[in-house]
Amino acid sequence: MLSILRKARLKDKEMRILMLGLDNSGKTSIVKSIMGEDIHSVSPTLGFIIKTIEYDGYKLNIWDVGGQKTLRTYWKNYFEKTDTLIWVVDSTDRERMDDCRQELASLLLQERLTGASLLVFKNKSDVPGCMNEAEIREALRLDDIHTHTWTIMTCSAMTGHNLQEGLQWVVQDAKDRLFLY
């Protein structure tokens, strides 16, 4: 029923993208890089930032929400009508991978995120010694996720590597699942 309702959205071609992850994973840097803004003056997001970009004929509303532990309890306030969840992982932060996995697993159980796709951005991939894609996949137990369409993509907010490809995946997934054209 949910997919039928979503496909009924014939005219708007608008998507709500929720970008979450632990603090210091690079969510705001990714958004700024996508928008062509300066990424060298980023400070921790203490609430949320909404940026809108036109991409391939779609209007993408990206909600970048702070990831500090004290803010995570408020994440549920942003779930409504989310088409895609972008989960940003700091691939240099080995010590917090258990927290990262637990937070993601908790999100995927939320009823209001049912039907949303999941793009895992493995950020900071340009840093020597970072975890590779297989390590992130295993640490987050991505292969156990059967409730959401998902993919993992290596990226770098600093260089812009794979950010456009991530948006391309989001839009193609939406075309396949949500829209009739």
Side-chain angles (χ1 to χ4, degrees), residues 72-127:
R72 294 178 204 160
T73 56
Y74 299 103
W75 282 354
K76 63 183 177 282
N77 297 320
Y78 302 96
F79 294 166
E80 208 66 39
K81 298 181 181 175
T82 296
D83 296 304
T84 302
L85 170 64
I86 298 179
W87 183 252
V88 181
V89 178
D90 177 348
S91 62
T92 67
D93 191 357
R94 295 174 189 277
E95 293 179 10
R96 296 197 305 163
M97 285 310 295
D98 279 343
D99 288 344
C100 190
R101 178 187 44 75
Q102 290 170 6
E103 292 291 353
L104 177 60
S106 175
L107 286 171
L108 297 178
L109 294 174
Q110 299 298 315
E111 185 177 333
R112 287 185 294 155
L113 288 177
T114 301
S117 291
L118 171 66
L119 168 60
V120 176
F121 261 151
K122 184 187 97 62
N123 194 27
K124 304 182 185 181
S125 61
D126 53 328
V127 177

Side-chain angles (χ1 to χ4, degrees), residues 16-20 27-28 31 44-51 62-68 71 74-75 77-78:
R16 179 181 166 108
I17 299 169
L18 183 58
M19 186 170 300
L20 297 174
K27 298 175 296 297
T28 302
V31 172
T45 305
L46 299 177
F48 66 93
I49 298 167
I50 304 170
K51 296 286 185 173
I62 304 171
W63 291 65
D64 167 20
V65 183
Q68 295 89 338
L71 298 177
Y74 299 103
W75 282 354
N77 297 320
Y78 302 96

